[in-house]
Amino acid sequence: MRINIVTGPWLPVPPLQGGSTGRIWQGLAESFATQGHQVKILCRSYPGQPNHEIRNKVTYIRRGGLPQSTNIYLDLVKDFAYGLTTFPTLPSADILIINDFWLPFFASVFRPDAGKIVIHAGRFPKGQYRLGLYAGVTRFVALSRVIQEGISQEDPAAIPRMRIIPNPIDTSIFSPPTSPQVHREEKTILYVGRVHPEKGIHLLIDAFKILVEKIPQVRLKIVGPFKGTQGGGGEEYFRILKTKAEGLPIDFLDAIFDPYKLADTYRSADLFCYPSLAEKGEAFPVAPLEAMATGLVPVVSNLACFEDYIQEGIDGYFFDHRSDRAVENLAETFTAAITDWEKTLEIGLNVAQKAQNYSYEKIANIYLDDFAQLLNNIKV
C-alpha cells in the first residue's frame, strides 16, 4: 500500500521541539512502514532539516511551509496558498492522509491519482464542514466522539464516511516504573501542557492553595511553555500565575521536549491534573494518556473528550469545571484522591494497563485495516 501523509504548512516532522502532533505522525508512519507499506510524509521545510531524506523506512519530503500566526483569517489565506502550490506536487498514492484545511479540496478535484483522501480531524470544527469543500473525501477520521459529533452537525452527509480513531502514544517510552513506587509522604501533583488560560492553570493553582491548607505535604509542578510563540498564554498570564503561586510549594518548569525525560517526569509524580476549560479546543489530549501509561492517575475536567478513555473512579477522577465552585470541586477531588490513597494506587494499575491499547502499533493497525476496507470499497 502506498500511503502519503501531508501534515500541512505549519508542522516540521520529526518535531524539532517535541510537539505531540509531529511525534504522532512520525510514530504512525514508522509503524506503517514496518509492516511493509510505502510511506511518505510531506511536511514543511525547516532550517537544519534536509529537503529529502529516509528515516526508519519513511521518506520525508520537505517543501514550503509557513509560520502559524494567532490570526485565523491570515492563516486561512496562508493555507490556501499552501494548498494551491502543494497539490500539483503530490506523489501518486493509494491513501492520502491530510491534516490541512484547503488541500483536501484541491486534491479531490484536481489529483484523483493522489489516492483516496482521508482527513485527519484533530480539531473541533469551526464551520469549515458547512462549506461543501469535502465532497470528494473518502474518510473523516475523528480523534474523539466530540469531534465526530461536531463534524456531523456541520455536515450530516459526512456521517457515513466517518470513523473515530484516537491518538496513539509511544508505550515503549511512556511506561510504569520498573520497580514498585516508593511510598512518599509528600504527594506531587503534575501538570504537563501549554501554560495557557484555556488549560485552566489559574484554576489549578487556586485549588492547590485550598488543598495545602488541608494537606500540607503536597507539591505542584507545572511543566510547559508560557510564551505566546510556543502556544502559551504569554508573559502577562504567566506573571498572574506566579503571583498566585507566591508562598506555595509550586514549581514552574520549562517544557520538556525529550520524551524520555518527560516520561521520567511523569514517573516522579503522584497525581496528574489536566484542568482544561477549552470546551471546543480539545480533541484527544495525549498528555493525560501519557501520564496514564506511566501509572499516573489523571484528574481532569469533565470535558466530553476525556470520557473516551477515562471513567470516574476506574481510570481517574473528574471535577466539575463548569460549576461556580469549580476551584472547590477540584480541591475536593485532590483531597479525596490523596486521602484514599489505596484506591488511587489501584486506579494507577488500571490506567497503566488501559494505556497499552493506545500504542503506535495498535492504532496503526486500526488505520491499516480501515485503509484496506476503503481500497476494497467495503462499507463500515
Side-chain angles (χ1 to χ4, degrees):
M1 192 185 305
R2 297 171 301 163
I3 304 171
N4 290 341
I5 302 169
V6 183
T7 62
W10 327 117
L11 187 67
V13 183
L16 299 179
Q17 293 187 324
S20 60
T21 304
R23 289 205 313 268
I24 286 167
W25 282 122
Q26 182 184 6
L28 284 173
E30 291 178 2
S31 295
F32 296 156
T34 298
Q35 298 193 46
H37 301 285
Q38 182 187 102
V39 186
K40 297 177 181 178
I41 292 184
L42 289 76
C43 50
R44 69 171 295 185
S45 60
Y46 207 89
Q49 291 187 326
N51 291 333
H52 189 282
E53 70 171 328
I54 298 176
R55 297 167 57 121
N56 297 327
K57 300 181 181 180
V58 176
T59 299
Y60 292 84
I61 302 172
R62 302 185 178 94
R63 184 184 297 112
L66 298 162
Q68 193 168 15
S69 73
T70 57
N71 186 320
I72 187 173
Y73 300 105
L74 176 60
D75 285 344
L76 284 174
V77 173
K78 290 181 179 181
D79 191 76
F80 182 86
Y82 174 81
L84 195 61
T85 57
T86 298
F87 85 82
T89 69
L90 293 173
S92 297
D94 300 305
I95 297 290
L96 176 61
I97 307 172
I98 303 179
N99 182 23
D100 194 56
F101 187 96
W102 292 104
L103 189 56
F105 169 74
F106 290 124
S108 63
V109 173
F110 301 109
R111 288 296 310 277
D113 64 315
K116 292 185 180 293
I117 297 174
V118 176
I119 285 185
H120 180 263
R123 298 284 182 183
F124 195 87
K126 295 180 173 62
Q128 67 267 40
Y129 294 91
R130 297 192 182 100
L131 301 177
L133 297 174
Y134 305 139
V137 171
T138 305
R139 172 71 76 223
F140 297 89
V141 173
L143 293 183
S144 61
R145 284 180 297 163
V146 67
I147 301 298
Q148 181 192 45
E149 291 167 3
I151 296 174
S152 300
Q153 290 174 4
E154 291 192 4
D155 183 11
I159 294 175
R161 294 175 283 156
M162 294 180 64
R163 185 167 184 187
I164 297 175
I165 303 179
N167 273 329
I169 58 171
D170 192 336
T171 53
S172 68
I173 297 175
F174 298 97
S175 59
T178 53
S179 56
Q181 191 178 63
V182 177
H183 176 71
R184 293 184 284 252
E185 290 297 328
E186 183 181 72
K187 298 294 188 288
T188 297
I189 300 169
L190 175 68
Y191 166 83
V192 173
R194 294 185 296 116
V195 181
H196 190 282
E198 71 176 11
K199 297 298 183 180
I201 313 302
H202 51 287
L203 187 151
L204 171 58
I205 294 176
D206 288 343
F208 183 75
K209 183 177 181 179
I210 295 174
L211 177 66
V212 171
E213 295 174 357
K214 298 179 180 179
I215 305 176
Q217 292 178 308
V218 288
R219 176 169 292 276
L220 174 63
K221 289 185 178 180
I222 298 172
V223 179
F226 68 87
K227 295 180 180 179
T229 55
Q230 296 176 305
E235 296 281 353
E236 178 60 20
Y237 182 62
F238 191 60
R239 184 193 65 77
I240 292 172
L241 296 182
K242 295 282 282 188
T243 300
K244 284 179 174 288
E246 287 181 0
L248 297 173
I250 298 177
D251 302 315
F252 290 90
L253 305 176
D254 291 336
I256 299 173
F257 298 128
D258 183 331
Y260 292 93
K261 291 182 180 179
L262 182 57
D264 286 339
T265 300
Y266 285 126
R267 285 189 282 263
S268 69
D270 299 283
L271 276 174
F272 182 78
C273 185
Y274 203 84
S276 178
L277 308 176
E279 295 286 347
K280 296 184 178 181
E282 301 286 6
F284 189 94
V286 296
L289 193 57
E290 290 174 344
M292 290 165 64
T294 66
L296 201 54
V297 176
V299 177
V300 298
S301 53
N302 54 358
L303 291 176
C305 61
F306 295 123
E307 296 175 1
D308 282 11
Y309 58 103
I310 297 174
Q311 293 177 274
E312 171 66 31
I314 297 176
D315 308 306
Y317 300 102
F318 287 88
F319 76 96
D320 186 359
H321 68 285
R322 302 181 186 92
S323 167
D324 293 337
R325 298 186 68 257
V327 170
E328 291 79 5
N329 286 341
L330 179 53
E332 290 165 4
T333 302
F334 284 146
T335 301
I338 294 172
T339 302
D340 193 352
W341 194 243
E342 287 190 7
K343 178 183 177 181
T344 300
L345 288 177
E346 290 178 6
I347 293 175
L349 297 176
N350 292 339
V351 299
Q353 184 63 37
K354 185 171 187 175
Q356 296 300 311
N357 296 324
Y358 297 89
S359 68
Y360 281 129
E361 181 182 5
K362 290 185 177 180
I363 300 301
N365 284 336
I366 295 174
Y367 273 103
L368 291 173
D369 289 345
D370 191 53
F371 296 161
Q373 291 171 343
L374 295 180
L375 294 174
N376 288 296
N377 295 313
I378 299 174
K379 293 183 179 183
V380 295

